[in-house]
Amino acid sequence: MSMLKGVQAVDLSTTKHVFVSAVQFATSSGTPCPQFGDELKISAKEQVEYMLGEDVDTPLVMADDDVKSAIKTGLSTIISSFEKVLSSLLLEAFVESKMTEDNILKSMSDLEWMCNILPKMGLMKDFVSNWIEISVKVLGVVENEKLDTLMWGLKVKLIELTTKVLDAVGYGNVLLPAPSRTQLLKTWLPYMRKMKPLLDSQGNEEMGFHYKMSDDLCESIEGAMISLILALPSNDQADILAEWMRNKQFKFPDLSEAFELWCYRTKSAKRRLLEGLGKEDNDTTGCL
């Protein structure tokens, strides 16, 4: 038994070392080995994905503080890199540069990869919290007039990534306080509502425009938003639904289900309140 314990300890140590090294390489800023291009980073990502899905020892090392620290550091590196390249989009020298667009899409790919593996590690909350924190800044850049007719790929990727965040929060996989959930909705709902008809108006693939919000994506957005809204305090629900109706764009996202349930709950709550008050009045009268 002592020999088996020693072998197991070595195996876990090796697994931990390989996993941490792969995460660090996959989330490193820039290209660590230029002669290999992005191939080594891609291999590192594949190694992490394999270990999360196939390596029986990986779940045992996930509770290790060093492993968690490496993952969180990698997430911070990727987000910092994304913010840096995003800020460069508004500089005159880079705004229409193909290299800049490629760099931002690579950065988005890193974020998407991180968003896919973090739930398997129980760390999706870290991604969600960071995303909420930078959302206003991100939209401040992509909604700048300089990018009105540019960076469509980035704009669609932002929607896809935010949908993963909405799913995680809306269906309870990530627990956040009500103010954070409300902020998430109020920040991204107007952008998504605006982008859907704008993307549709640009044409289709036959016309050479390949950036669309698919039906499945739209359904995911609506489902997550409805679940998210219905879990908010009633006053926050009212604010969001009132703003949604004022814009007179009910087609997308269709939040009518959330509105109907809010109305039903509000009427029921009011009826119970009145019944309670009536009972109290009767009890008071009886005492007199």
Side-chain angles (χ1 to χ4, degrees), residues 7-164:
V7 171
Q8 181 68 6
V10 171
D11 287 343
L12 290 179
S13 176
T14 301
T15 300
K16 171 185 169 180
H17 177 71
V18 172
F19 187 81
V20 169
S21 297
V23 168
Q24 290 173 339
F25 205 98
T27 59
S28 58
S29 180
T31 304
C33 301
Q35 64 271 31
F36 294 103
D38 293 324
E39 293 179 9
L40 288 183
K41 287 189 70 171
I42 293 173
S43 295
K45 289 179 179 180
E46 291 174 349
Q47 178 65 34
V48 171
E49 291 168 0
Y50 168 78
M51 294 183 74
L52 286 173
E54 303 293 336
D55 195 313
V56 294
D57 289 334
T58 302
L60 298 177
V61 304
M62 288 309 302
D64 188 277
D65 290 339
D66 291 338
V67 173
K68 291 181 179 179
S69 178
I71 294 167
K72 292 180 180 181
T73 299
L75 176 61
S76 297
T77 299
I78 286 177
I79 289 179
S80 177
S81 177
F82 170 68
E83 288 185 288
K84 183 178 179 181
V85 71
L86 186 72
S87 298
S88 71
L89 292 180
L90 299 184
L91 300 176
E92 291 294 338
F94 299 108
V95 69
E96 295 190 32
S97 168
K98 182 67 168 63
M99 183 178 295
T100 302
E101 185 172 7
D102 290 343
N103 287 339
I104 192 67
L105 290 179
K106 283 182 182 178
S107 188
M108 287 296 299
S109 178
D110 288 341
L111 283 170
E112 188 173 27
W113 174 76
M114 187 61 83
C115 195
N116 289 335
I117 67 167
L118 285 176
K120 300 175 184 178
M121 305 175 184
L123 295 173
M124 186 60 181
K125 185 175 182 178
D126 291 80
F127 186 95
V128 170
S129 298
N130 276 281
W131 194 248
I132 292 175
E133 184 178 340
I134 68 172
S135 288
V136 173
K137 180 180 178 181
V138 170
L139 290 178
V141 173
V142 298
E143 293 189 295
N144 188 283
E145 59 182 9
K146 291 182 180 179
L147 301 182
D148 278 349
T149 59
L150 300 171
M151 302 292 173
W152 296 111
L154 166 63
K155 294 169 182 177
V156 173
K157 276 296 180 184
L158 282 176
I159 293 173
E160 293 173 352
L161 202 59
T162 303
T163 301
K164 294 179 183 292

